Amino acid sequence: MTTVLQIKSSLFGERGQSSQLADAFTAAYQAAHSGTRLIVRDLAASPVPHLTAEGFGGFGAEQQERTPAQRAAAELSDALIAEIRAADVVLIGLPMYNFGIPSALKAWFDHIARAGVTFRYTENGPAGLLTGKRVVVFATRGGVYAGTPHDTQTGYVRDILRFLGMTDVQFVYAEGLALGEASQRKALAEAGAAIARIAQAERLAA
Ligand SMILES: Cc1cc2nc3c(=O)[nH]c(=O)nc-3n(C[C@H](O)[C@H](O)[C@H](O)COP(=O)(O)O)c2cc1C
């Protein structure tokens, strides 16, 4: 059985464009793979707190030595890591907010990047431990940035995923969503077509 983990990071929860694109992908994926298990982590509905020095310190501490705040941070981190470890396919909703990734998503990355757990340092440099996963990212933006130096998201998200061991990463973009109705319609139609293409390839491979 395939497990899909869907990360929602839109402020608007399931109404967010990035959430809706990921939902469309999930539906297509489930149609192609019977018995898919879906885990949804909605970072707007249940925000992951900012990582603090105390919480970070607790990640490396022995369980019995952790303060209550460290225990809470480590338990949340353990739960988030268990979800992504279990996933064969990871779907990430990636809205652009104020020229960057949503702070909720950054907080999630901060809680799943754990030395000795999801990556380790070797004599050849860091090695990611979350391997063998396929990732599809749904990037939604009011403006148009893909392929320009103003796209602060694609490089960062690819880098952190690679650092954690995920190298099979595809981006679906819907840009120009704030540039009028025609622009929005076109962007969503193109993103929908990209999702259908990927889903069709899945069906052929299944
Ligand atoms: C708080 C906020 C900040 C935004 N900042 C940007 C921005 O810097 N650049 C941009 O192109 N669009 C920006 N937008 C537009 C969003 O990228 C666009 O609405 C997109 O659909 C968000 O994805 P979502 O619908 O999944 O939340 C912003 C929207 C909000 C609500």
Side-chain angles (χ1 to χ4, degrees):
M1 188 174 57
T2 308
T3 298
V4 174
L5 170 63
Q6 185 177 345
I7 304 294
K8 295 186 175 179
S9 70
S10 171
L11 292 180
F12 310 108
E14 62 192 26
R15 286 185 299 111
Q17 299 285 7
S18 56
S19 308
Q20 291 186 41
L21 293 177
D23 285 346
F25 185 92
T26 300
Y29 191 90
Q30 284 176 316
H33 300 79
S34 56
T36 302
R37 181 166 77 112
L38 176 65
I39 304 171
V40 178
R41 172 62 65 171
D42 186 336
L43 300 173
S46 308
V48 174
H50 284 167
L51 188 58
T52 62
E54 186 180 10
F56 178 69
F59 286 172
E62 293 297 330
Q63 205 163 339
Q64 63 278 9
E65 287 168 3
R66 288 176 179 150
T67 65
Q70 287 178 329
R71 235 184 344 262
E75 279 170 10
L76 175 59
S77 165
D78 288 346
L80 298 174
I81 289 170
E83 284 176 356
I84 194 164
R85 267 209 188 115
D88 305 290
V89 178
V90 182
L91 308 178
I92 300 179
L94 181 66
M96 179 176 280
Y97 296 143
N98 299 317
F99 288 89
I101 74 165
S103 53
L105 186 62
K106 179 62 166 64
W108 179 76
F109 279 127
D110 287 341
H111 279 75
I112 63 163
R114 293 251 309 263
V117 180
T118 54
F119 70 92
R120 65 193 170 88
Y121 290 108
T122 72
E123 51 199 28
N124 301 318
L129 301 176
L130 295 173
T131 54
K133 301 180 192 307
R134 179 155 175 239
V135 184
V136 187
V137 181
F138 302 88
T140 51
R141 297 148 176 199
V144 178
Y145 310 92
T148 79
H150 301 292
D151 181 355
T152 59
Q153 300 182 300
T154 304
Y156 167 74
V157 170
R158 271 195 198 284
D159 283 348
I160 180 83
L161 292 173
R162 188 186 317 113
F163 182 76
L164 297 173
M166 291 167 274
T167 50
D168 180 357
V169 181
Q170 256 177 308
F171 278 73
V172 173
Y173 295 95
E175 296 196 289
L177 296 177
L179 303 181
E181 225 175 276
S183 171
Q184 185 181 84
R185 231 188 347 260
K186 181 166 176 285
L188 293 176
E190 284 172 3
I195 289 167
R197 247 190 334 269
I198 299 170
Q200 174 64 14
E202 288 287 340
R203 238 173 254 125
L204 295 175

